[in-house]
Amino acid sequence: MNLKSILERFLKSPFHSKSQVFLVLSLVSYTLLAFNSGWGFFGSLRAPNFISAYLFTFSLAFLFTVYIHEVNGWLNIKYHDEKSPIRWTLHFTIGIFVPLAFELIAVELFFSQKGESILTNTFFDADFILVTIYILLVNSFYAYANHRLRANLKIRATYKNKIIPALKDLSVLKELHRYEVIKNAPVSLIDFDLNSLNITKVEIACAYKFDDVITIHYFDQTTEIVKDSISKLLLPLKATDYARINPYCFYHRLLVFSYEEISPSRRLYLRLRHPFNHLVHDNQRFVSQGTSSNFKKWMKGNA
């Protein structure tokens, strides 16, 4: 355990973000200074030595918060029984009394540089009470946060074997619903809501090879000529969404409205949704005999 790892754990804590930490510490530090400065809440900005006093207060608040965060995390791991007398004793000793003692020593050193003392200053009139309240609140927050974290982890561990299958079933249901939406999509895709299927307009709708030139059609009706092969283009695409109908062409499922089997070749003739129904070349419309069986399964959602 070193200072770097402690700071990393604090700044990556699941209980708060970095921005929340620095916002709270900034407000707390300024409030502590302004409360007992005698210059008023906004007038404290004009008080002598404001910057040095503010940086000192902020640094202490930051160190206390990091320390209490670490102490509560350690207690949560070391003592599983939250009602353990040893845990509560340690919590009050090292979580509350130690930072308060450090606060008294640090403030005394700060005042001594100005020729003062916490005994002759007004520190105990208000500042010490506010610091004590802050330390108690931070301890309470992290104690509760760790309690909730432990409870959530316990629930997750208890139901892990039930949650994973349920998530898989939910995924299957979502995919079936998606298939039904595609199946019942209108003949024209001009006004169809692609977002309902998590499809963007810049996604590939189809690609085909014609006269040694490979053309990609996107859902926004733009096209692009590329040098990659059909196989290479198809490789990163989802098998549930895209199917190769022959050596020269592949389609997104949404583009295929229906198909008709051509006897006796057992090839399939595709009917495409508008505005892609202008693709009429044989290489763009016929599913090859060797691919037809798998294509039928794919169209039924069994890919």
Side-chain angles (χ1 to χ4, degrees):
M1 184 183 298
N2 53 49
L3 181 58
K4 182 179 179 182
S5 60
I6 291 174
L7 288 175
E8 286 179 351
R9 277 195 295 272
F10 175 71
L11 295 175
K12 296 179 181 180
S13 174
F15 308 136
H16 45 63
S17 65
K18 294 179 185 177
S19 57
Q20 290 172 333
V21 167
F22 285 100
L23 176 62
V24 170
L25 290 179
S26 297
L27 291 174
V28 167
S29 301
Y30 186 81
T31 302
L32 285 172
L33 284 178
F35 194 85
N36 202 35
S37 67
W39 290 74
F41 190 81
F42 296 104
S44 298
L45 293 169
R46 302 191 304 272
N49 303 317
F50 169 78
I51 294 178
S52 61
Y54 177 80
L55 291 176
F56 174 77
T57 305
F58 183 91
S59 299
L60 277 183
F62 180 81
L63 289 174
F64 287 160
T65 308
V66 173
Y67 173 79
I68 295 170
H69 175 272
E70 190 70 14
V71 166
N72 277 268
W74 176 76
L75 289 172
N76 192 51
I77 296 172
K78 186 74 173 177
Y79 299 95
H80 294 176
D81 183 5
E82 294 181 343
K83 297 179 180 180
S84 168
I86 298 177
R87 173 170 175 161
W88 280 102
T89 302
L90 288 173
H91 200 158
F92 278 100
T93 303
I94 63 176
I96 298 175
F97 295 132
V98 168
L100 281 176
F102 183 81
E103 163 77 8
L104 293 174
I105 295 171
V107 172
E108 175 63 24
L109 292 174
F110 179 76
F111 283 144
S112 64
Q113 294 181 2
K114 301 191 299 179
E116 300 180 38
S117 169
I118 56 174
L119 298 176
T120 59
N121 197 277
T122 57
F123 174 73
F124 285 105
D125 293 346
D127 290 351
F128 180 72
I129 298 173
L130 293 175
V131 170
T132 303
I133 292 172
Y134 177 73
I135 290 174
L136 290 172
L137 287 175
V138 174
N139 269 283
S140 300
F141 170 77
Y142 284 126
Y144 177 75
N146 277 286
H147 167 75
R148 293 296 305 161
L149 178 62
R150 177 186 288 277
N152 291 336
L153 291 175
K154 185 177 181 180
I155 292 172
R156 186 179 300 177
T158 302
Y159 294 99
K160 180 178 66 174
N161 295 331
K162 296 180 180 180
I163 290 174
I164 293 176
L167 290 176
K168 289 182 179 177
D169 291 341
L170 180 60
S171 177
V172 171
L173 288 174
K174 286 183 177 179
E175 193 61 33
L176 288 174
H177 172 72
R178 190 169 186 264
Y179 167 72
E180 285 299 317
V181 174
I182 291 175
K183 181 181 176 181
N184 298 319
V187 176
S188 175
L189 298 177
I190 296 299
D191 297 320
F192 183 75
D193 182 17
L194 295 175
N195 292 327
S196 65
L197 297 172
N198 293 322
I199 299 174
T200 63
K201 292 184 177 181
V202 295
E203 286 188 50
I204 294 177
C206 66
Y208 58 84
K209 184 178 182 180
F210 189 68
D211 288 340
D212 293 327
V213 176
I214 296 178
T215 304
I216 297 176
H217 283 258
Y218 296 95
F219 277 103
D220 63 0
Q221 301 181 49
T222 60
T223 61
E224 181 184 9
I225 295 174
V226 296
K227 295 181 180 179
D228 293 334
S229 65
I230 291 292
S231 298
K232 190 172 182 180
L233 288 173
L234 192 57
L235 189 63
L237 303 178
K238 289 176 61 177
T240 53
D241 284 352
Y242 294 89
R244 188 169 185 169
I245 67 169
N246 55 51
Y248 310 100
C249 184
F250 69 79
Y251 282 106
H252 191 285
R253 189 193 297 273
L254 184 60
L255 268 60
V256 183
F257 181 71
S258 64
Y259 63 86
E260 176 185 353
E261 188 165 347
I262 309 298
S263 299
S265 67
R266 290 188 296 172
R267 292 193 305 165
L268 306 177
Y269 178 78
L270 302 183
R271 296 184 180 90
L272 305 178
R273 287 185 167 91
H274 180 72
F276 300 93
N277 56 341
H278 67 283
L279 304 176
V280 295
H281 191 274
D282 285 359
N283 290 344
Q284 301 165 339
R285 283 299 181 108
F286 285 95
V287 181
S288 63
Q289 183 179 351
T291 311
S292 61
S293 177
N294 288 332
F295 182 83
K296 290 178 183 178
K297 294 179 181 178
W298 177 75
M299 281 294 290
K300 291 178 181 179
N302 298 325

